[in-house]
């Protein structure tokens, strides 16, 4: 068994990264479904193919920003395009979409793409005998034929876009961009004007572009994962630098984290969690969040110190805090003297009461008139002493209240000044194991970068480290230990974001 402190620290860190990567991946998958990321990335690929030269701006970095805005429905990249709307208005593509809200399909097969392109090039109303000539003319002239829509669905975004540009009024042609037209001419020449060969080349062009769009989808997903990861790191205070410090210096916490990693390893396989429908993702998220909360409790993360620090620091800003303290401090010597006198008087009265009570109890003979007289006299003395004791106690309580308040405020002041000296005005200080300021911020950034690598990466790495550690011991809450066999390392999925790993079933992502 290979087992040392450094290895356990790595296992603890990787386990935390795996938990929050799973949380982020589940949230990302839900967001991707709600915003139809795959359909939008596929749309960008189609635009790149059919509208080349009209999909980029003069400022390269703005193209990336536009891409992010597009996938979140904040920018319509179809606006102003002339060819791609006809592609999406084609009945074959239109009916692949779910509805007019999700109006663009997330997947298009290469055969469907080539069929739609052939229809646009030859015109859907051309007789079969003239198809070859119509295709040749369209390619040489660099145009496509419009589709006659007898009852246009103006609720469909593509048709709506065409209607705004008054493109539905006639059945003419639409000019393609020069780059797209030139590329189609090259494919047509390479195919020897053979429609079947040309169609195969169109399919190969589509497949090559879809390989690139898969990379685009992963790039956007990594950006979303980073944003989600940073939000989780801030909200749950997952400071990687603080975690490393805790695992290094706190042996019980380190052993509990290793135990949790080994015990929960098989249940955190991304291949069994990601790629599920929304309802399963929601329930799985709750389970992973519960494990993350347990890990936070072990490490003392979260923001448990925030309210305490705020209370101490705000106490120094209280308007009458110092005035009240100074007033009480000036009266403290006199209060102490009065309290001392009252305490001495009270002690003496209690002692006298005990003596008089004992004397009264010694008068046993009820027939002795002298003793009876003495008994009444002693009873009067006891009543007087009891009243005096009660008065002294009431007075002492009145004098002690300000003194107690003074001691409380003095403790608050000393504690506040100590924490203010230790903490100062550091930002982001939510736990006693954190340094606050920029260190905590960079700790969150490291967590977000780790989350961006994806849950499969951390699951695979955790499997290897646990396998390297060999058979370990599980430490439960009671402190007892039990042998745990080393789990078999499970190969992680190669894609973090895809909800469908079958390339034949999902073109993007």
């Amino acid at each position: 068994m290979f087992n040392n402190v450094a290895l356990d620290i790595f296992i603890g860190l990787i386990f935390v990264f795996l938990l929050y990567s799973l949380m982020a991946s589940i949230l990302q998958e839900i967001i991707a479904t709600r915003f139809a990321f795959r359909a939008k990335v596929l749309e960008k690929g189609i635009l790149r193919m059919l509208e080349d030269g009209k999909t980029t701006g003069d400022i390269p970095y703005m193209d990336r920003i536009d891409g992010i805005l597009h996938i979140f429905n904040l920018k319509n990249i179809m606006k102003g395009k002339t060819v791609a709307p006809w592609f999406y208005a084609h009945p074959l593509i239109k009916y692949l979409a779910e509805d007019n809200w999700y109006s663009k399909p997330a997947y298009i097969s290469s055969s469907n793409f080539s069929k739609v392109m052939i229809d646009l090039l030859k015109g859907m109303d051309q007789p079969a005998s003239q198809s070859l000539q119509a295709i040749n003319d369209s390619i040489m002239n660099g145009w496509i034929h419009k589709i006659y829509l007898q009852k246009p669905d103006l609720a469909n975004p593509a048709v709506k876009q065409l209607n705004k540009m008054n493109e539905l009024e006639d059945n003419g042609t639409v000019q393609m961009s020069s780059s797209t037209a030139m590329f189609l001419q090259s494919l047509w020449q390479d195919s020897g004007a053979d429609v079947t060969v040309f169609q195969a080349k169109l399919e190969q062009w589509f497949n090559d572009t879809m390989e690139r769009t898969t990379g685009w989808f992963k790039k956007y997903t990594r950006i979303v994962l980073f944003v989600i990861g940073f939000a989780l790191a801030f909200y749950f205070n997952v400071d990687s630098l603080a975690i490393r410090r805790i695992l290094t210096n706190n042996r019980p916490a380190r052993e509990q984290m290793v135990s949790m990693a080994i015990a929960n390893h098989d249940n955190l396989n991304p291949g069994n969690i990601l790629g599920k429908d929304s309802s399963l993702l929601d329930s799985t998220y709750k389970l992973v969040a519960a494990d993350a909360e347990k890990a936070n409790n072990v490490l003392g993360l979260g923001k448990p110190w925030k309210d305490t620090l705020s209370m101490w620091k705000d106490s120094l800003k209280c308007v009458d805090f110092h005035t009240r303290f100074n007033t009480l401090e000036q009266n403290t010597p006199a209060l102490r003297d009065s309290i001392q006198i009252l305490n001495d008087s009270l002690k003496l009265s209690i002692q006298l009461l005990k003596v008089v009570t004992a004397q009264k109890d010694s008068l046993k003979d009820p027939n002795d008139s002298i003793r009876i007289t003495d008994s009444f006299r002693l009873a009067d003395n006891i009543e007087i002493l009891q009243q005096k004791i009660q008065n002294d106690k009431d007075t002492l309580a009145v004098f002690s209240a300000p003194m107690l308040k003074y001691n409380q405020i003095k403790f608050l002041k000393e504690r506040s000044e100590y924490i203010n000296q230790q903490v100062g005005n550091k930002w982001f200080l939510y736990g006693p194991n954190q340094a606050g300021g920029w260190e905590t911020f960079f700790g969150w950034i490291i967590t977000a970068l780790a989350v961006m690598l994806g849950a499969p990466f951390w699951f695979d790495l955790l499997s290897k480290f646990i396998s390297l550690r060999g058979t370990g011991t599980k430490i439960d809450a009671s402190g007892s230990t039990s042998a745990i066999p080393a789990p078999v390392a499970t190969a992680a999925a190669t894609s973090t974001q895809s909800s469908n790993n079958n390339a034949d079933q999902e073109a993007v992502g």
Side-chain angles (χ1 to χ4, degrees):
M1 177 183 68
F2 184 74
N3 179 17
N4 62 20
V5 173
L7 185 61
D8 288 350
I9 292 173
F10 278 115
I11 290 176
L13 272 171
I14 294 170
F15 177 61
V16 172
F17 291 155
L18 174 59
L19 286 173
Y20 284 96
S21 295
L22 279 172
M23 290 176 64
S25 296
I26 292 171
L27 290 173
Q28 180 274 326
E29 192 64 34
I30 294 174
I31 293 172
T33 302
R34 297 291 186 271
F35 285 93
F37 280 10
R38 291 173 178 81
K40 290 186 175 67
V41 175
L42 176 59
E43 178 188 4
K44 182 179 180 180
I46 295 296
L47 286 173
R48 190 65 175 157
M49 296 173 72
L50 304 183
E51 301 281 356
D52 191 32
K54 298 181 182 179
T55 58
T56 57
D58 296 332
I59 305 175
Y61 192 74
M62 287 300 300
D63 295 335
R64 298 299 176 91
I65 296 177
D66 288 343
I68 294 293
L69 295 176
H70 168 238
I71 66 173
F72 285 105
N73 287 339
L74 299 176
K75 185 177 180 64
N76 180 16
I77 61 174
M78 186 73 75
K79 185 177 181 180
K81 307 301 185 290
T82 56
V83 177
W86 286 110
F87 179 88
Y88 277 101
H90 192 285
L92 178 58
I93 303 301
K94 175 185 174 182
Y95 295 137
L96 288 176
E98 181 179 349
D99 49 36
N100 282 333
W101 177 255
Y102 294 102
S103 61
K104 300 176 179 65
Y107 168 74
I108 299 174
S109 67
S110 57
S111 59
N112 286 340
F113 172 79
S114 63
K115 174 175 175 48
V116 173
M117 287 301 299
I118 293 295
D119 286 346
L120 293 175
L121 289 170
K122 70 180 180 62
M124 298 187 68
D125 57 348
Q126 291 288 345
S129 59
Q130 299 179 13
S131 295
L132 181 62
Q133 185 61 44
I135 293 173
N136 181 76
D137 292 344
S138 295
I139 293 175
M140 291 299 106
N141 291 302
W143 65 45
I144 63 167
H145 291 270
K146 295 180 180 180
I147 302 172
Y148 173 65
L149 301 174
Q150 186 175 6
K151 294 181 179 181
D153 182 6
L154 296 179
N156 183 275
V159 178
K160 186 177 182 180
Q161 175 70 24
L162 293 170
N163 187 52
K164 286 182 178 179
M165 298 187 297
N166 298 320
E167 292 290 332
L168 298 176
E169 295 179 354
D170 58 71
N171 295 327
T173 59
V174 177
Q175 199 70 30
M176 292 185 287
S177 68
S178 58
S179 298
T180 302
M182 185 183 302
F183 184 73
L184 289 177
Q185 291 170 10
S186 174
L187 293 181
W188 182 247
Q189 293 172 357
D190 291 345
S191 65
D194 186 321
V195 175
T196 303
V197 177
F198 178 67
Q199 192 167 352
K201 289 185 177 296
L202 286 176
E203 293 177 4
Q204 183 60 45
W205 177 34
F206 177 79
N207 289 332
D208 291 342
T209 303
M210 289 305 102
E211 289 183 6
R212 299 206 316 272
T213 58
T214 299
W216 300 345
F217 179 82
K218 292 180 179 179
K219 176 186 67 180
Y220 289 130
T221 299
R222 283 194 293 269
I223 294 173
V224 174
L225 278 177
F226 177 82
V227 174
I228 295 175
F230 185 80
L232 290 174
F234 171 76
Y235 184 78
F236 293 104
N237 192 28
V238 189
D239 180 354
S240 295
L241 298 177
I243 294 173
R244 194 273 312 166
R245 185 180 298 115
I246 294 167
L247 292 175
T248 301
N249 300 323
N250 191 328
R251 180 179 177 182
R254 182 171 66 246
E255 290 177 345
Q256 288 185 60
M257 290 300 296
V258 172
S259 176
M260 289 176 61
I262 295 174
N264 294 286
H265 170 262
D266 293 336
N267 298 327
L268 298 176
N269 187 344
N272 300 331
I273 295 176
L274 303 180
K276 308 296 182 182
D277 58 57
S278 296
S279 60
L280 291 177
L281 284 178
D282 292 341
S283 59
T284 305
Y285 174 83
K286 293 178 181 178
L287 295 176
V288 175
D291 288 338
E293 184 178 3
K294 292 178 183 177
N296 282 1
N297 291 335
V298 172
L299 296 171
L301 294 178
K303 299 180 180 180
W305 215 29
K306 180 181 179 181
D307 294 336
T308 303
L309 288 177
S310 299
M311 180 185 70
W312 294 121
K313 292 173 117 179
D314 291 344
S315 67
L316 289 177
K317 302 174 184 177
C318 181
V319 176
D320 63 338
F321 177 86
H322 293 287
T323 302
R324 290 165 57 199
F325 178 77
N326 292 334
T327 302
L328 289 171
E329 191 172 36
Q330 291 174 1
N331 297 330
T332 296
L335 283 172
R336 284 202 182 100
D337 293 340
S338 299
I339 290 172
Q340 184 63 42
I341 293 172
L342 283 169
N343 276 323
D344 293 342
S345 176
L346 185 61
K347 289 178 182 179
L348 180 59
S349 297
I350 292 173
Q351 291 175 358
L352 287 174
L353 179 62
K354 290 179 180 179
V355 172
V356 173
T357 303
Q359 290 177 354
K360 182 178 179 295
D361 292 340
S362 66
L363 301 176
K364 302 293 185 181
D365 189 355
N367 298 319
D368 189 333
S369 59
I370 297 177
R371 288 178 179 268
I372 293 175
T373 303
D374 290 342
S375 177
F376 282 116
R377 180 175 55 79
L378 291 174
D380 291 339
N381 291 338
I382 289 174
E383 185 177 352
I384 294 172
L385 285 171
Q386 288 176 338
Q387 185 62 44
K388 184 177 184 305
I389 289 172
Q390 185 60 46
N391 292 337
D392 287 347
K393 285 183 177 180
D394 293 340
T395 306
L396 186 61
V398 172
F399 282 12
S400 297
M403 196 66 189
L404 179 62
K405 194 68 177 177
Y406 167 77
N407 291 330
Q408 292 174 344
I409 296 179
K410 181 180 180 182
F411 170 76
L412 183 65
K413 181 176 183 295
E414 292 174 350
R415 189 62 179 169
S416 299
E417 290 176 347
Y418 169 76
I419 291 182
N420 192 56
Q421 180 182 3
Q422 297 296 319
V423 175
N425 294 318
K426 290 182 179 178
W427 324 323
F428 311 136
L429 190 60
Y430 300 122
N433 293 299
Q434 290 183 288
W438 286 108
E439 181 177 315
T440 296
F441 180 78
F442 285 130
W444 294 338
I445 291 291
I446 293 172
T447 301
L449 291 172
V451 167
M452 192 171 64
L453 293 176
F457 172 83
W458 293 114
F459 178 78
D460 185 46
L461 194 61
L462 181 63
S463 300
K464 292 177 180 178
F465 271 82
I466 290 179
S467 179
L468 178 64
R469 190 178 189 274
T471 303
T473 56
K474 178 180 177 182
I475 305 172
D476 58 24
S478 62
S480 60
T481 60
S482 59
I484 295 180
V488 179
T490 304
T494 56
S495 173
T496 307
Q497 301 82 13
S498 175
S499 65
N500 191 333
N501 293 326
N502 191 335
D504 294 334
Q505 298 179 3
E506 188 68 59
V508 180

